[in-house]
């Protein structure tokens, strides 16, 4: 999605095109904070919200039990 709508659609049509993005995923973490920044920009207030699920790598230890 960060590469643009057309690239997103191309990868949906052919998932093999996603390969070059795999090694660059670290930079995409900033996308997680876009809603928080937008909220603060629009309201002038920090968005103090919790999340139901952790997005931290390897936080779902039960899901990695067989790995």
């Amino acid at each position: 999605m960060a590469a643009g709508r057309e690239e997103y659609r191309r990868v949906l049509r052919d998932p093999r095109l996603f390969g070059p993005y795999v090694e660059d995923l670290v930079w995409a973490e900033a996308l997680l904070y876009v809603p928080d920044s937008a909220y603060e920009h629009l309201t002038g207030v920090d968005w103090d919200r919790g999340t139901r699920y952790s997005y931290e790598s390897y936080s779902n230890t039960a899901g990695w039990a067989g790995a």
Side-chain angles (χ1 to χ4, degrees):
M1 289 176 23
R5 181 177 290 167
E6 186 52 39
E7 187 64 13
Y8 172 77
R9 289 177 177 162
R10 283 178 24 144
V11 170
L12 281 179
R13 288 190 300 269
D14 184 357
R16 293 173 297 176
L17 297 174
F18 188 70
Y21 296 102
V22 173
E23 292 188 20
D24 293 334
L25 285 179
V26 174
W27 71 268
E29 181 178 350
L31 294 174
L32 295 171
Y33 307 106
V34 169
D36 303 74
S37 296
Y39 182 86
E40 183 177 358
H41 176 75
L42 292 171
T43 66
V45 177
D46 283 340
W47 187 4
D48 185 23
R49 66 177 171 98
T51 57
R52 180 181 295 186
Y53 304 104
S54 175
Y55 50 79
E56 295 297 329
S57 297
Y58 305 108
S59 62
N60 181 10
T61 55
W64 290 89

